[in-house]
Amino acid sequence: ETGVTQTPRHLVMGMTNKKSLKCEQHLGHNAMYWYKQSAKKPLELMFVYSLEERVENNSVPSRFSPECPNSSHLFLHLHTLQPEDSALYLCASSPEDSSYNEQFFGPGTRLTVL
Amino acid sequence: AQSVSQHNHHVILSEAASLELGCNYSYGGTVNLFWYVQYPGQHLQLLLKYFSGDPLVKGIKGFEAEFIKSKFSFNLRKPSVQWSDTAEYFCAVTLSGNTGKLIFGQGTTLQVKP
């Protein structure tokens, strides 16, 4: 596969569940990002990883826990979420974590929290 | 805080009509500007970008955008839309020389009637 892939594409979970979202990029990029897209709100940056180190946490609650084991993979671990966390979660990558780079997006995971 | 505003949330046009989507940002420093597009069922992808130089930039599929620094604007234009331009359009900025943190507008849904 090419580009940025995300699994699962859809996820329904209860508030007491623990689940993980996975993102994989096949572009040889060094930076990866998690974004949240809620209904009627702009896409919001959640986390930035550069060379597997977290360089930004955009005031995200601790019930979201990112992990970047290598430059190709990014995870978002979810636990004790709230219904308002229901949203589309997008992963993106870019060659470097730079303001000049285009970001390449995955298809997203549609999360519903019951 | 920096923000991006897209004035038109939903635009409906007939084929061959001209398009202009508004985008304004609030930040006093130097910015890099992007338009991303999401076609139905597809990933977000870059349409065009502006970093410096000629304020009129051309992108894919006949789109162009003009950066007007005095108005903090980066409006997207196309002289003659096609049915295949039906999509959601997102304006975004990064702060020049900073990280890759993209600040997005709310998006504009464009529907082109054949």
Side-chain angles (χ1 to χ4, degrees):
Chain A
E1 277 200 71
T2 58
V4 181
T5 57
Q6 290 186 243
T7 54
R9 295 293 305 276
H10 299 271
L11 177 62
V12 179
M13 59 187 288
M15 289 192 284
T16 57
N17 292 158
K18 288 185 181 181
K19 297 285 184 184
S20 296
L21 309 185
K22 180 183 176 183
C23 174
E24 186 171 0
Q25 58 97 0
H26 309 268
L27 301 167
H29 289 167
N30 288 321
M32 296 187 78
Y33 309 81
W34 278 117
Y35 288 88
K36 176 183 178 183
Q37 187 176 26
S38 305
K40 301 188 190 298
K41 287 186 179 180
L43 274 109
E44 288 177 78
L45 180 70
M46 299 175 73
F47 300 104
V48 179
Y49 275 83
S50 177
L51 297 170
E52 299 143 49
E53 283 195 30
R54 191 191 313 179
V55 296
E56 181 142 0
N57 174 345
N58 204 28
S59 303
V60 179
S62 59
R63 57 186 183 270
F64 294 91
S65 175
E67 179 191 2
C68 187
N70 55 63
S71 59
S72 299
H73 293 86
L74 185 65
F75 294 89
L76 189 62
H77 303 300
L78 316 171
H79 63 99
T80 59
L81 294 193
Q82 305 297 311
E84 60 264 29
D85 296 321
S86 298
L88 181 68
Y89 289 85
L90 291 172
C91 174
S93 72
S94 67
E96 308 290 340
D97 179 35
S98 162
S99 62
Y100 300 98
N101 282 160
E102 172 187 355
Q103 292 182 21
F104 294 78
F105 286 82
T109 295
R110 175 70 62 186
L111 173 67
T112 302
V113 181
L114 301 176
Chain B
Q2 301 87 23
S3 65
V4 177
S5 175
Q6 291 181 242
H7 317 296
N8 319 100
H9 297 300
H10 198 126
V11 174
I12 302 173
L13 295 173
S14 298
E15 274 193 315
S18 65
L19 169 73
E20 181 159 2
L21 300 181
C23 172
N24 286 88
Y25 64 92
S26 65
Y27 180 65
T30 306
V31 295
N32 302 313
L33 297 146
F34 304 80
W35 275 98
Y36 282 84
V37 61
Q38 187 168 27
Y39 297 103
Q42 295 189 28
H43 306 189
L44 263 173
Q45 58 185 281
L46 185 70
L47 202 53
L48 49 77
K49 60 188 177 187
Y50 172 81
F51 295 155
S52 64
D54 188 344
L56 185 62
V57 292
K58 295 193 185 300
I60 59 172
K61 305 188 180 186
F63 285 91
E64 64 179 33
E66 185 176 12
F67 171 51
I68 303 179
K69 190 174 181 180
S70 60
K71 294 185 178 180
F72 299 88
S73 70
F74 190 55
N75 291 356
L76 181 71
R77 299 195 292 248
K78 186 170 183 178
S80 175
V81 295
Q82 301 172 315
W83 176 78
S84 58
D85 293 324
T86 295
E88 191 156 14
Y89 293 80
F90 296 90
C91 182
V93 305
T94 58
L95 308 183
S96 192
N98 210 317
T99 69
K101 177 179 178 177
L102 275 166
I103 303 164
F104 280 90
Q106 284 188 292
T108 297
T109 301
L110 171 65
Q111 184 182 351
V112 179
K113 294 184 173 180

